[in-house]
Amino acid sequence: MKTLIETLKTNSLITSVEAKREDLIFISCEPDHLIEILTDLRDWKNFRHLVMISAVDWIEQGQFQLTYLLYNYENHSDIGVKIRIPRENPEAQSIHHLWKTAHIYQRELHEMFGIVFPGSPRLEESMLLEGWDQIPPMRKEFDTKKYSEETFFPRPGRQTSDPKAHMKQTNYPDDAKMNDELKQLVRDNRKKNREVQDA
Amino acid sequence: MPELDMIVNNWPEPASLDLASGKYTKIWQGPQHPGVTGNMALEITLEGDVVQECRTHVGYLHRGFEKLMERRTFMQCFPIVCRICVPEPDYNEYLFAAAVEELAGIEVPDRGQWIRALTLEMIRIASLTMGLGGQAGAFGLGTIGQWTVAHRDLMLDLFEELTGARLYHMYILPGGVRQDLPEGFVEHLETVLNKFEILIQEIERVLFNNAVFKARAEGLGIIPSDWVEPYGITGTTARAAGVPLDIRKNNPYLIYDELDFEMITGSKSDAFERTMLRKEEVLLSINLIRQILQKMPRTGSVRTKLPNVLHWNVPAGETYVRAETGRGEMGYYMVSDGTEYPRRIHVRGASYTHALAVLEKLAVGQSIADIAGLMVSLQTCPPEIER
């Protein structure tokens, strides 16, 4: 692991190397060099298992951080490759040709963060947000509380909890309506009488 | 880079089937599946009864945990992480706790770590056993499903005794576990383990020697071992293909380096082998629990005192922790920015690649009757696809 860190430090494309644990390193690079570094790690350094691709929203700095986590089958260690891309029109290189599972992660990132991966297959196919017209929901500025208050309303529900009345309402709606009107008429008459008496 | 452009543009487009020709039928399998916890739909295009194209559709179960957690303090996240996965909630609790501990530099007492491992192995038995039942049920052997669900309930009873809850235990929290083992728990656990051993023997007789199961599961959904790397296959599915991938052995977490066990691998890599391996894993977990009970320190505290969790700023940093669940690798990627709230938590579940990439590929050319069995044999768990 130490030799690997030394080798990585000599690579001019890598901007920073940070050993997090004995078996976990995070490195950073420019977005343009992503594929070169991932290919190098996969083919020459034995990091052949793509564990996950994830995005972090750094809204204060106006950037998205993409993390590609790779796993080494031989010495059982991980390496995380981090790139920063701008939040405005975010676009990153697609790695669907390096791993067969990569396009699924990219699909999700496209849907949830709005990051574009040119050339990635089935990128526009949404997993869950069919007909979504808001900003991508995993971005920090998306206000879940405001969205739910605007979109969902409390259901009116049943007016009565009496089963007999409910059944009557559903099975004989005309009768129920007539009944209600009669009751209302009686109520109105009583009210009128009371007003007359009071006067 | 001309070479790169060539590779990118040569990505094979999926063959488009002429649906208007009347040769194909398109049907939806799911979103409800007996034997799979959660909802997930398969859009299948058939020619006769042979699958020509399979597309996995998720989105029936999304609860937005990753977004929810960004709006909660670290301690408020702890009770909701267990809800991410229904059959194995404790792994989520452990991984969340481990990630927070690593970022905050919290040391967990020795006995706490052993009890954590004990709970993880217990829920692993429950989940794997239920998976066996689901596998049998997918091939029409429903009785075994009833046995295994009944036995899983015994394990849930034990969890009720230990934690007060049957499914979502909220037991492993950052800093240790909530409380020590109750009195008489070890004896009850031993009784239940014996029952599980008898159950496994019976399943061996009824399921693995069953002509129907053999005829349908053998040779179904063979995953070549060279698929493991590009598709990111982990867990029993990878081990059935002969690839030695077991995080408990390779990257020992908790106290697994002090336990004595061998990794179980197969070679045939079909649905039968995967089910067989899962049965062996149950026996291995029983063995591990016995070892844990034997080697566990008898006394000592089970949790450290945390700082005031209402105003707990976890130091900035990022980490990834992983554990071996019944289905494969589960991991938590956590980024903290030094405030009370996590900046980002990404949950990596094994089903994500298994159900979305591998299943779509494996299903092609299979009979429609075998799709359910194939799906269960990959240990598909939709809750961890949609966090």
Side-chain angles (χ1 to χ4, degrees):
Chain A
M1 213 53 188
K2 268 181 188 158
T3 51
L4 176 69
I5 293 174
E6 291 307 315
T7 339
L8 290 173
K9 275 182 180 164
T10 56
N11 191 336
S12 61
L13 297 180
I14 295 170
T15 48
S16 79
V17 180
E18 181 197 358
K20 188 79 205 165
R21 255 192 337 240
E22 216 166 273
D23 56 352
L24 178 65
I25 309 173
F26 281 107
I27 61 172
S28 306
C29 70
E30 289 297 316
D32 294 344
H33 302 138
L34 175 73
I35 288 183
E36 285 164 84
I37 288 181
L38 288 181
T39 317
D40 175 54
L41 287 171
R42 185 187 75 159
D43 295 344
W44 298 101
K45 314 253 182 348
N46 275 331
F47 287 92
R48 295 201 300 272
H49 171 39
L50 176 70
V51 179
M52 54 145 218
I53 307 175
S54 184
V56 187
D57 189 354
W58 297 100
I59 188 167
E60 298 86 356
Q61 296 147 27
Q63 283 176 325
F64 282 128
Q65 174 192 322
L66 287 181
T67 311
Y68 298 76
L69 202 77
L70 312 180
Y71 180 72
N72 187 331
Y73 291 118
E74 272 75 38
N75 61 14
H76 312 303
S77 59
D78 291 275
I79 191 160
V81 182
K82 300 191 288 186
I83 57 167
R84 293 275 184 132
I85 53 172
R87 277 182 106 250
E88 296 291 317
N89 305 322
E91 193 178 303
Q93 288 178 335
S94 171
I95 59 158
H96 63 272
H97 54 289
L98 297 180
W99 281 278
K100 299 224 184 240
T101 49
H103 74 276
I104 301 171
Y105 290 100
Q106 290 174 357
R107 245 172 87 191
E108 194 184 4
L109 291 178
H110 177 67
E111 189 176 1
M112 294 294 174
F113 287 90
I115 301 170
V116 180
F117 296 91
S120 184
R122 295 166 66 188
L123 191 68
E124 295 297 325
E125 208 175 292
S126 65
M127 285 187 178
L128 126 108
L129 305 171
E130 274 173 38
W132 183 261
D133 54 355
Q134 312 259 332
I135 53 166
M138 282 295 280
R139 291 192 180 195
K140 281 279 180 192
E141 76 255 34
F142 180 75
D143 190 344
T144 41
K145 188 161 179 286
K146 184 163 155 279
Y147 174 77
S148 65
E149 278 168 358
E150 281 171 2
T151 317
F152 305 111
F153 303 98
R155 242 182 2 169
R158 265 158 53 178
Q159 290 300 311
T160 168
S161 57
D162 175 26
K164 194 178 156 195
H166 173 70
M167 291 314 288
K168 199 171 178 185
Q169 203 107 48
T170 32
N171 291 343
Y172 309 101
D174 293 343
D175 284 14
K177 199 182 166 196
M178 209 164 73
N179 232 344
D180 283 354
E181 282 170 1
L182 271 176
K183 276 183 192 166
Q184 194 60 41
L185 209 72
V186 172
R187 253 181 244 132
D188 288 352
N189 272 337
R190 271 191 205 144
K191 203 178 168 189
K192 218 179 273 171
N193 287 343
R194 221 175 287 138
E195 278 169 7
V196 170
Q197 277 176 8
D198 286 352
Chain B
M1 281 183 291
E3 302 96 336
L4 186 70
D5 284 347
M6 202 189 70
I7 298 170
V8 173
N9 294 329
N10 275 358
W11 180 260
E13 283 292 311
S16 55
L17 302 170
D18 182 16
L19 291 176
S21 65
K23 206 172 154 193
Y24 304 104
T25 321
K26 183 167 271 199
I27 62 161
W28 286 72
Q29 182 157 353
Q32 273 82 354
H33 305 278
V36 171
T37 50
N39 310 93
M40 185 185 88
L42 299 177
E43 182 190 1
I44 299 170
T45 312
L46 293 167
E47 185 185 354
D49 69 343
V50 179
V51 177
Q52 296 295 331
E53 190 188 49
C54 172
R55 287 283 167 94
T56 311
H57 289 272
V58 293
Y60 302 90
L61 201 66
H62 192 85
R63 296 143 295 165
F65 281 115
E66 289 177 356
K67 184 78 180 173
L68 282 175
M69 285 194 273
E70 288 175 12
R71 299 173 63 91
R72 280 164 164 74
T73 62
F74 280 92
M75 213 49 186
Q76 285 174 331
C77 291
F78 148 68
I80 67 167
V81 284
C82 53
R83 284 158 172 85
I84 292 177
C85 182
V86 187
E88 287 174 304
D90 294 73
Y91 281 97
N92 291 286
E93 294 175 12
Y94 160 65
L95 286 169
F96 176 77
V100 174
E101 280 154 14
E102 195 176 309
L103 288 177
I106 299 171
E107 286 284 318
V108 181
D110 207 20
R111 189 170 160 84
Q113 297 281 45
W114 283 87
I115 295 178
R116 279 180 175 187
L118 179 72
T119 25
L120 294 189
E121 288 302 322
M122 278 166 63
I123 199 68
R124 193 182 157 83
I125 293 183
S127 153
L128 283 170
T129 320
M130 194 169 69
L132 278 176
Q135 183 71 66
F139 289 125
L141 307 165
T143 319
I144 296 161
Q146 295 178 12
W147 293 352
T148 55
V149 169
H151 276 74
R152 176 171 173 264
D153 251 35
L154 297 175
M155 203 50 107
L156 298 187
D157 287 344
L158 281 177
F159 271 111
E160 196 174 359
E161 193 180 332
L162 179 65
T163 68
R166 292 172 70 79
L167 260 183
Y168 300 130
H169 310 129
M170 291 172 265
Y171 183 62
I172 303 174
L173 79 172
V177 294
R178 224 161 1 101
Q179 61 213 7
D180 212 330
L181 303 181
E183 214 171 295
F185 178 77
V186 177
E187 290 77 27
H188 296 167
L189 180 56
E190 187 54 43
T191 327
V192 172
L193 290 185
N194 289 335
K195 283 184 182 167
F196 267 90
E197 277 181 335
I198 295 168
L199 173 78
I200 293 296
Q201 281 173 12
E202 283 174 357
I203 287 181
E204 178 129 31
R205 278 206 296 275
V206 179
L207 184 64
F208 293 101
N209 290 329
N210 186 313
V212 174
F213 183 67
K214 267 190 182 171
R216 295 191 60 183
E218 274 183 353
L220 170 65
I222 295 176
I223 297 179
S225 57
D226 54 354
W227 280 22
V228 170
E229 284 169 14
Y231 281 100
I233 300 170
T234 49
T236 39
T237 315
R239 290 201 287 282
V243 180
L245 278 182
D246 189 334
I247 297 159
R248 293 176 294 178
K249 200 82 183 169
N250 295 341
N251 300 62
Y253 50 99
L254 291 173
I255 42 79
Y256 281 106
D257 47 350
E258 295 179 41
L259 301 178
D260 175 31
F261 66 102
E262 289 295 320
M263 201 187 296
I264 304 167
T265 50
S267 57
K268 280 190 239 148
S269 190
D270 53 2
F272 188 86
E273 184 96 347
R274 288 197 280 274
T275 319
M276 188 71 129
L277 231 68
R278 234 167 283 148
K279 184 210 76 182
E280 296 290 330
E281 292 274 330
V282 175
L283 293 177
L284 173 68
S285 283
I286 293 175
N287 177 10
L288 287 180
I289 287 183
R290 292 209 169 113
Q291 283 187 43
I292 289 171
L293 290 177
Q294 212 174 25
K295 294 180 181 171
M296 192 157 82
R298 295 278 168 262
T299 51
S301 73
V302 292
R303 65 189 276 196
T304 44
K305 199 163 163 29
L306 292 177
N308 183 357
V309 289
L310 299 177
H311 310 284
W312 185 20
N313 293 359
V314 172
E318 57 193 304
T319 188
Y320 180 79
V321 287
R322 55 155 65 86
E324 177 81 20
T325 69
R327 294 174 303 280
E329 170 181 347
M330 180 171 239
Y332 267 52
Y333 171 64
M334 188 183 283
V335 182
S336 168
D337 50 6
T339 60
E340 296 169 9
Y341 303 94
R343 171 64 67 158
R344 173 95 165 101
I345 296 177
H346 180 106
V347 183
R348 192 260 186 220
S351 301
Y352 197 81
T353 50
H354 290 185
L356 287 175
V358 185
L359 183 61
E360 281 182 7
K361 176 113 176 152
L362 274 184
V364 175
Q366 303 288 353
S367 160
I368 172 82
D370 290 335
I371 295 295
L374 182 66
M375 184 167 60
V376 182
S377 84
L378 292 173
Q379 292 276 67
T380 307
C381 177
E384 64 178 24
I385 303 174
E386 305 183 55
R387 297 87 50 193

